[in-house]
Amino acid sequence: AYGEADGPEASAEQWPTFRHDDRRSGATPAEVPAAVEQSWRAELGNRVSSPTVADGKVFAALVDQHIVVCRQAKTGRALWEVAAGARVDSPPTYHRGRVIFGSADGWVYCLRADDGELAWKFRAAPGERLVGAHGQLESAWPVHGSVLVRGGKVYACAGRSTHLDGGLHLYALDAETGEVQHSRTMKGPTYTSENIEKENYRLPQGLLPDVMISHSDGIYMHGKGFTTALEDTGGSPSLSVRASTLLDDSYFKRAAWRMNGEYARLIVHDDRNAFYVRQFDSMRGLDPSVYFTPGRKGYMLFSKDTREGDRRWFQRIPVRIRAMVQTSDILFVAGPPDAIPADDPLGPYEGRYGAELHAIDSSSGDRLAKYELPSPPVFNGIAAAGDRLYMTTEDGYLSCFAPKD
């Protein structure tokens, strides 16, 4: 440990971690009105992560620049920035005055939220070995930026696959000191001529790393369950991202997320309702009638009662939704327009046509407000805290939307 850090616990109305909470629900009880206006907008850099918000501050990562930045939530004023040793692919987690994140350099960092000073750091990678990845050097055992904090412990995973470089290395660290509380290494499975001949149709699968999800009965990564002591367990989280990852923003070429028998490109949920956005009307991939035509019908946006299992409302929306947040009674969605201009057909997909922010009544599906944006949000790039929205966009900006006077 290099320093001490202390501060208030984040309330439910703040946004202290990726997708708000350790369930990665994307929902908050914060009351944000439909009528908002831009309060401030600040340029951060290239390739910005989604934001987290707590203790009067907004945090984000500049992914390729290896930097975590902190801005004052009310004004956007720069407070501090800290560089890691490699990419930071997702936003940090706030916990009692600490800002904790992993990096592709194989380390987990804990900073003081007030001034960015280092409180402790822990090498999750089993050794110092660098490899080339997407034009940069990073550890053979990278760590996702958004670590999971539960019960005073920081859960992180270093590695790329249980099949590579000695496997995945999982840790539970003390959030105050960085000391190891639990750890394990996962390897394999190993294929041989015997088991391939025996199970050549459905070979036993390994595991890939992902941002971890917590649920009442344990911790999950790619659908694999662990106890809080990192022992194997069964069960499954309410939000399933087994065949993809929570950070995969490719949209078209990735497996769907799933919850309560429904699939979607993006899902947010609270204790009673779930909200889904779909591209395809059906998952019958070999049916020639099942395809998506941009600029035609729009995307499917619908709500489902997760207790009763009934759909509450359904609509088509001409927006390729990349960010979605459920507040106390309003669903905010944002993305580029679903259009194919004849003179620039790829323009909406490449950010040249800006984006739209819609405020939708959660109970009825009625649109309450619509706002034009200069750039599309990054994937999962909206956070709600207090009575404000915070959004990171593909042009490298962080914006705050406050209630209209």
Side-chain angles (χ1 to χ4, degrees):
Y2 297 90
E4 296 182 355
D6 195 18
E9 187 74 71
S11 69
E13 288 74 23
Q14 299 179 46
W15 199 277
T17 190
F18 177 66
R19 287 178 56 90
H20 180 263
D21 49 61
D22 55 11
R23 296 187 304 162
R24 313 302 180 189
S25 71
T28 171
E31 297 181 0
V32 182
V36 295
E37 60 185 356
Q38 184 174 291
S39 174
W40 55 262
R41 187 169 186 256
E43 185 174 11
L44 298 185
N46 298 320
R47 200 179 170 202
V48 186
S49 76
S50 55
T52 51
V53 188
D55 193 23
K57 305 173 184 67
V58 188
F59 310 96
L62 305 183
V63 178
D64 293 330
Q65 297 170 257
H66 313 174
I67 292 174
V68 170
V69 300
C70 175
R71 295 272 175 158
Q72 189 179 72
K74 189 174 182 179
T75 66
R77 180 172 63 89
L79 297 179
W80 53 261
E81 64 178 45
V82 170
R87 286 187 176 97
V88 182
D89 64 8
S90 43
T93 297
Y94 172 90
H95 176 71
R96 294 183 178 176
R98 301 166 181 83
V99 178
I100 309 171
F101 63 93
S103 169
D105 62 4
W107 289 75
V108 178
Y109 295 78
C110 177
L111 311 178
R112 290 198 308 232
D114 284 342
D115 56 13
E117 289 296 315
L118 184 67
W120 56 260
K121 61 187 292 190
F122 171 79
R123 194 183 75 184
E128 294 284 356
R129 178 156 66 90
L130 299 179
V131 299
H134 305 289
Q136 294 191 11
L137 289 175
E138 60 187 44
S139 172
W141 304 274
V143 182
H144 282 308
S146 294
V147 296
L148 173 68
V149 178
R150 170 174 168 165
K153 297 183 179 64
V154 178
Y155 292 88
C157 174
R160 300 174 188 272
S161 166
T162 55
H163 293 291
L164 297 175
D165 303 308
L168 297 179
H169 304 269
L170 282 73
Y171 297 92
L173 309 174
D174 185 288
E176 294 188 3
T177 66
E179 295 178 354
V180 177
Q181 305 297 299
H182 309 285
S183 66
R184 68 177 294 183
T185 299
M186 300 183 66
K187 300 180 182 179
T190 301
Y191 302 133
T192 66
S193 58
E194 288 78 13
N195 65 21
I196 286 180
E197 290 177 0
K198 192 176 189 179
E199 303 182 45
N200 62 349
Y201 173 60
R202 298 188 68 177
L203 288 172
Q205 297 295 303
L207 188 66
L208 297 174
D210 194 10
V211 172
M212 294 183 184
I213 297 176
S214 177
H215 203 59
S216 57
D217 56 351
I219 293 167
Y220 298 88
M221 185 174 70
H222 254 306
K224 168 67 177 173
F226 305 93
T227 67
T228 54
L230 297 179
E231 299 170 344
D232 291 340
T233 186
S236 62
S238 53
L239 175 64
S240 175
V241 194
R242 286 174 181 263
S244 180
T245 73
L246 284 164
L247 300 178
D248 186 351
D249 65 351
S250 54
Y251 213 92
F252 292 108
K253 291 292 185 180
R254 66 169 167 86
W257 294 8
R258 295 181 180 274
M259 183 177 181
N260 289 98
E262 302 282 2
Y263 64 91
R265 297 288 91 189
L266 192 60
I267 300 171
V268 299
H269 67 95
D270 55 25
D271 292 334
R272 185 61 188 264
N273 304 293
F275 303 88
Y276 308 77
V277 57
R278 277 187 191 170
Q279 172 185 354
F280 299 103
D281 290 4
S282 168
M283 292 291 281
R284 298 193 304 271
L286 298 180
D287 186 335
S289 67
V290 178
Y291 57 90
F292 177 77
T293 303
R296 186 180 175 189
K297 294 192 299 182
Y299 290 77
M300 295 175 61
L301 178 65
F302 62 95
S303 170
K304 186 172 183 178
D305 187 316
T306 56
R307 297 178 186 176
E308 302 297 331
D310 299 325
R311 286 195 186 180
R312 302 180 61 197
W313 52 261
F314 164 90
Q315 64 167 282
R316 298 278 181 179
I317 186 167
V319 175
R320 181 165 62 94
I321 298 172
R322 290 178 51 81
M324 183 161 60
V325 167
Q326 163 64 8
T327 62
S328 61
D329 54 5
I330 296 176
L331 178 71
F332 290 93
V333 301
D338 178 35
I340 306 183
D343 59 343
D344 188 11
L346 293 180
Y349 295 93
E350 296 176 350
R352 291 189 291 277
Y353 281 73
E356 299 174 6
L357 170 66
H358 291 233
I360 297 170
D361 187 294
S362 300
S363 60
S364 67
D366 295 334
R367 190 175 74 185
L368 304 174
K370 172 185 171 183
Y371 306 96
E372 300 296 326
L373 302 173
S375 176
V378 303
F379 189 55
N380 282 303
I382 303 180
D387 58 1
R388 299 186 175 208
L389 295 178
Y390 299 87
M391 182 187 303
T392 47
T393 48
E394 292 181 348
D395 59 359
Y397 280 78
L398 168 65
S399 300
C400 171
F401 298 87
K404 285 185 177 179
D405 294 333

